Amino acid sequence: CSSNNESNSFKCNWLSHLCLYLCFLTENEEFGPVFIQEPDDVIFPLDSDEKKVVLHCEARGNPLPTYRWYINGTELDTEADYRYSFIDGNLIITNASEITDYGKYHCKAENSFGTVLSRDALLQFAYLGAFSGKTRGGVSVREGQGVVLMCTPPPHSPEIIYSWVFNEFPSFVAEDSRRFISQDTGNLYISKVQPADVGSYICLVKNTVTNARVLSPPTPLTMKTDGVMGEYEPKIEVHFPTSVLAAKGVTVRLECFALGNPVPTITWRKINGNIPKKARLRKSQAVLEIPNIQLEDSGTYECKAENPRGGTAFKGHLQVYTLPQWTRMINDTQMDSGEKLQWECKATGRPRPTYRWLRNGLPLTSQDRIEIVNGELTIHKVQQMDSGMYQCVAENKYGATYSNAELKILASAPVFVPNPIRVIATLGKDVSIECKPRASPKPRITWKRGDRRIQPNKRIMLLRNNTLRIVNSSRADEGSYVCRAENQLGSAELTAILWVKEAMRVELSPTRVEVTVGESVVLSCKATHDTSLDVAFQWFFNQKPINFQQDGGHFEYVQTQSSTVDLMIRNILLKHAGKYGCQAQTSADTVFAEAELLVRGPPGPPGVVIVEEITDTTATLSWTRGLDNHSPISTYNLQARSPFSLGWQTVKTDPDPVTGDMESAIAVELNPWVEYEFRVVASNAIGTGDPSAPSRAVRTKEAVPSVAPANVSGGNGRRHELVISWEPVSEEFQNGEGFGYIVAFRANGTRGWKEKMVTSADSTTYKYRDETFPPLTPFEVKVGVYNNKGDGPFSKVVIIHSAEGEPRDAPSDVKANSVSSSEIRVTWKPPSPGPGRPRGYEVSYWKDTEQEESGKKQRTVKNETSMVLTGLEGNSLYLITVKGFNSIGQGPASKHRSCYNLLYELYMHHSPKVAVCLCSPGVAQTGRQRPQPGDKNH
């Protein structure tokens, strides 16, 4: 009962009782066994610590099923063998052994309604025995001869992986075009023995389930000394069977390897077809691997071994089989006794599957009323004894699949639920009273009104489903109607009380309304009906019920009176345009009224934009009109996007503006040789709508460049160089392929221009060197552009001076004087003014016992002419030079200057004193004279 129907108490009570009754029937329904889990194949490692094998079987059913287990068709007896035990339907085998427990298992689940058999599950045991400890004899061959080393693996289950150890573990034999290890035989094949192959060989096998490994005794391989084997034609020693069977979906490996001298080459082909593209060649083409094999991969495959001495081939047929798979299954069925049952099951498979039928776990054959033809089962005039669990089994020699269903034969006296019932009809409308008892076999139905049996006529009819139908009902039809159902097991009656009420009318206003996006509107629904009946309302939008919890942001249900409700629509959007319906419902009838809401808003997106023609600067565009949303489109705005734009930009058009009645225009003033996308946006009196989808990307045609480089400048560089620089032209303005620059220059006062081509579009600098012009020579310079279409414009002419060069003269009058025992002040005069003037100075200093290259250097902050050197060692002679430098480089160094720092102590009044000797450039020439303490003349 919905919230809108709570007032209709009779209807809600009736529905509630019916729901409770149906739930009771469902919870207590009895049925036969249905498998939830069937046993799967198991490979059990014999060396497992668990020592228990578990086979799973679980079924649901009411009553709960019981279970029995079978091995190879014989039932297991848990009392006779303590190793077997059950937990629910699962079978546990303790201390399982291959001798007694290997085989096929299936379980049987049964209850009072029938029995079903599970599919077969194979129990295998994984183990790996040890190699025989017997010493293996050596193998001796000539150089160039082929050889086969036998593995002779120990007993094992299931598959094992083979590898070979050379001389000692873990040095493994590497497989290549000359050496091959067969994973079918385990043998090692060497097509042409070389001296490096001499040694001891050990076969190593690994169990794929347990991962256990064992090693064989070594097989020595020696080389005969009676000569070298000559060339001989290939001999195929390893090949796949002549007939290969493979299950659909697995990976198939076909082996082929040959002995021969020279080493043979292996090739593959498929007779009357192509090798599948998914196939892969492994191990130097000795293995053809086909993953996920399908039916179409079947066929004859050939491997061929060839060398210069000849060739040989082998052919084998690959056949793919598939397990049966259902295309049609049987389903649970309930029937009345005496009816005819027809079941059909179908399955695909290769080979084609055959069918057999089981009833309660036992074979079912044709007899009397039962016909079985392949997957079709027919039972004529079913009886209670036919009830039970049926299984259709589709099988071929590779496996079987089961389809299960339960057949119930019903037998019950008629029962009516609920009883009695109340039916309310609308005056002048048709009314139907149903009679649907639960009964088996089908009962005989009769209708009465009062004590008199109803005789059908033009206005009162008895339909085939036993429903009583009254056409054009009136007040005279009110009263009690009785349906009687009867079969051989009993009878029952249903009483239906019919009331006929006035028809309800519904008025919805307004019936048509226009609003603008963002506005609100109220739709009012009023019902006129029989006052003895309660009425419930429901609102619809485009035939779908409105969910007020989900759409509450825009829709509100307002109850104004008991028979009137309003629909408030707030902040209307374009998507709210459409048909709104009001449905009023009583227990007698249901009436529906509808109103239309038109929403004015910005236009919808135009249709697909097509670029019809493109030139170097224009694009002719066309589009289709979108929705105007009840307000005529006034203008269109054309927008473009390129790799060089920041998103979408409005473009100029022809004509301008583009009016709303147009569906094509020309975008103008585009850049040549640029890739553009275009879109169109429509506007009306209310606003601008969403843009169309972008057009396909198109490139405008090439043109001569029209933009010259900006910020042409230059200067600096080395002596006799003219350095010219500029800002590169963006790719957006290069206008075509083959873009480059033309650098033109001439010395002031000269007439002819020198032009140089710079072919790189990313270049920003050009250097011209000529030793004939002096530093700081002024040049007139301009930079132009070109591409494959021709030459573009030049920049404005600017004056650029050639480089002044590095300083040409050394500083003069360099002096160095001691300031303290660890400091020296150095002074100098700048060189003569002119080209190559210094922008700063660098002072180099080093002790006379060191090389100049290991000395230290210190630069002035600006164009200063003095510096104090600090952190020096006392009582040392330092050599000093000064160089000027600028942005071009360094000038020549001044002549060496030296200073002798003296540190000594004067003991005077027993107090140590520090004396500093000021040194002049002459000290270095006069030699060192160390003053003595106490000598007052120093």
Side-chain angles (χ1 to χ4, degrees), residues 421 423 425 430-434 447 463 467-470 498:
I421 61 173
V423 179
D430 298 348
V431 61
S432 296
I433 306 175
E434 292 184 341
W447 280 91
L463 305 182
T467 297
L468 183 67
R469 185 170 183 81
I470 303 174
L498 175 62

Side-chain angles (χ1 to χ4, degrees), residues 725-845:
S725 60
W726 61 90
E727 287 185 6
V729 175
S730 166
E731 185 182 348
E732 182 180 6
F733 303 107
Q734 293 176 6
N735 291 9
E737 292 185 312
F739 182 84
Y741 300 95
I742 305 172
V743 181
F745 54 92
R746 65 185 178 188
N748 263 7
T750 61
R751 302 191 67 177
W753 291 91
K754 287 187 177 180
E755 291 188 352
K756 300 294 182 182
M757 308 290 285
V758 179
T759 58
S760 173
D762 298 325
S763 296
T764 59
T765 305
Y766 175 76
K767 293 181 180 180
Y768 175 71
R769 182 173 181 82
D770 188 342
E771 297 187 1
T772 63
F773 56 78
L776 298 178
T777 298
F779 282 83
E780 291 180 284
V781 176
K782 59 183 179 179
V783 181
V785 290
Y786 71 92
N787 63 16
N788 290 345
K789 284 288 185 179
D791 295 348
F794 278 93
S795 66
K796 293 182 179 179
V797 176
V798 297
I799 302 298
I800 300 175
H801 289 80
S802 63
E804 60 178 346
E806 64 274 5
R808 286 182 283 179
D809 299 323
S812 60
D813 199 14
V814 178
K815 294 180 180 179
N817 299 306
S818 297
V819 178
S820 70
S821 61
S822 61
E823 296 175 315
I824 296 176
R825 177 180 294 278
V826 183
T827 62
W828 60 88
K829 291 182 179 179
S832 301
R837 58 187 181 277
R839 295 291 184 264
Y841 297 91
E842 183 179 85
V843 178
S844 301
Y845 55 100

Side-chain angles (χ1 to χ4, degrees), residues 225-244:
T225 59
D226 57 353
V228 177
M229 184 74 173
E231 293 185 355
Y232 63 95
E233 65 181 8
K235 178 185 177 184
I236 294 179
E237 286 288 339
V238 182
H239 58 73
F240 53 98
T242 56
S243 179
V244 178

Side-chain angles (χ1 to χ4, degrees), residues 58 74 83 118-119 315 388 443 497 624 655 730 743 759 792 836 844 909:
E58 182 182 0
T74 303
R83 298 182 309 112
S118 75
R119 61 170 173 253
K315 297 178 184 178
I497 303 171
T624 54
S730 166
V743 181
T759 58
S844 301
H909 305 294

Side-chain angles (χ1 to χ4, degrees), residues 405-712:
E406 181 178 4
L407 174 62
K408 281 186 177 179
I409 306 302
L410 304 176
S412 65
V415 175
F416 286 101
V417 178
N419 191 16
I421 61 173
R422 185 179 72 162
V423 179
I424 301 177
T426 301
L427 192 65
K429 298 289 182 68
D430 298 348
V431 61
S432 296
I433 306 175
E434 292 184 341
C435 179
K436 292 185 177 180
R438 293 182 61 200
S440 181
K442 289 182 179 179
R444 185 170 60 88
I445 303 296
T446 57
W447 280 91
K448 293 189 302 180
R449 184 177 183 187
D451 296 333
R452 300 179 62 181
R453 184 171 178 174
I454 295 176
Q455 297 297 327
N457 55 44
K458 291 183 178 180
R459 207 173 63 82
I460 300 178
M461 295 173 283
L462 185 60
L463 305 182
R464 287 187 178 181
N465 62 357
N466 299 318
T467 297
L468 183 67
R469 185 170 183 81
I470 303 174
V471 179
N472 190 19
S473 59
S474 65
R475 299 283 188 186
D477 295 320
E478 290 186 332
S480 295
Y481 294 80
V482 176
C483 171
R484 178 178 176 83
E486 185 175 8
N487 66 11
Q488 58 264 42
L489 300 177
S491 63
E493 290 185 346
L494 167 70
T495 300
I497 303 171
L498 175 62
W499 292 348
V500 181
K501 302 290 185 180
E502 288 285 344
M504 178 171 56
R505 301 190 309 277
V506 172
E507 181 182 356
L508 178 57
S509 63
T511 57
R512 189 176 187 276
V513 60
E514 290 190 14
V515 295
T516 300
V517 167
E519 294 181 347
S520 300
V521 72
V522 175
L523 301 178
S524 183
C525 182
K526 180 179 180 181
T528 303
H529 60 96
D530 189 298
T531 56
S532 65
L533 302 177
D534 293 325
V535 63
F537 293 92
Q538 189 171 13
W539 284 97
F540 292 81
F541 176 44
N542 291 333
Q543 278 74 54
K544 293 183 179 180
I546 296 175
N547 185 328
F548 288 94
Q549 283 72 36
Q550 181 178 338
D551 300 321
H554 294 281
F555 297 122
E556 182 181 354
Y557 182 100
V558 181
Q559 181 90 43
T560 56
Q561 299 176 17
S562 61
S563 298
T564 304
V565 294
D566 291 343
L567 174 63
M568 169 75 76
I569 312 175
R570 293 190 177 91
N571 191 22
I572 288 174
L573 304 176
L574 286 172
K575 67 178 183 179
H576 294 140
K579 297 291 185 78
Y580 287 83
C582 172
Q583 178 178 283
Q585 183 177 16
T586 67
S587 54
D589 60 351
T590 300
V591 181
F592 186 82
E594 204 168 44
E596 184 178 13
L597 176 64
L598 302 177
V599 181
R600 295 184 297 266
V608 178
V609 178
I610 298 174
V611 182
E612 295 184 341
E613 186 179 351
I614 193 82
T615 69
D616 56 345
T617 59
T618 67
T620 303
L621 309 177
S622 66
W623 59 90
T624 54
R625 294 173 59 85
L627 297 174
D628 63 7
N629 291 324
H630 308 292
S631 177
I633 297 173
S634 55
T635 58
Y636 288 104
N637 178 255
L638 274 59
Q639 298 177 345
R641 176 172 65 182
S642 75
F644 312 105
S645 65
L646 295 175
W648 291 94
Q649 303 291 329
T650 298
V651 296
K652 293 184 178 180
T653 60
D654 180 18
D656 184 20
V658 181
T659 58
D661 58 346
M662 300 177 65
E663 294 186 14
S664 66
I666 301 175
V668 298
E669 297 185 16
L670 304 176
N671 290 329
W673 201 239
V674 171
E675 193 173 74
Y676 287 97
E677 293 175 281
F678 299 94
R679 70 181 187 184
V680 179
V681 182
S683 299
N684 60 14
I686 297 172
T688 299
D690 293 330
S692 68
S695 71
R696 63 180 178 88
V698 293
R699 185 184 286 274
T700 50
K701 297 186 181 303
E702 293 182 278
V704 174
S706 58
V707 176
N711 294 330
V712 177

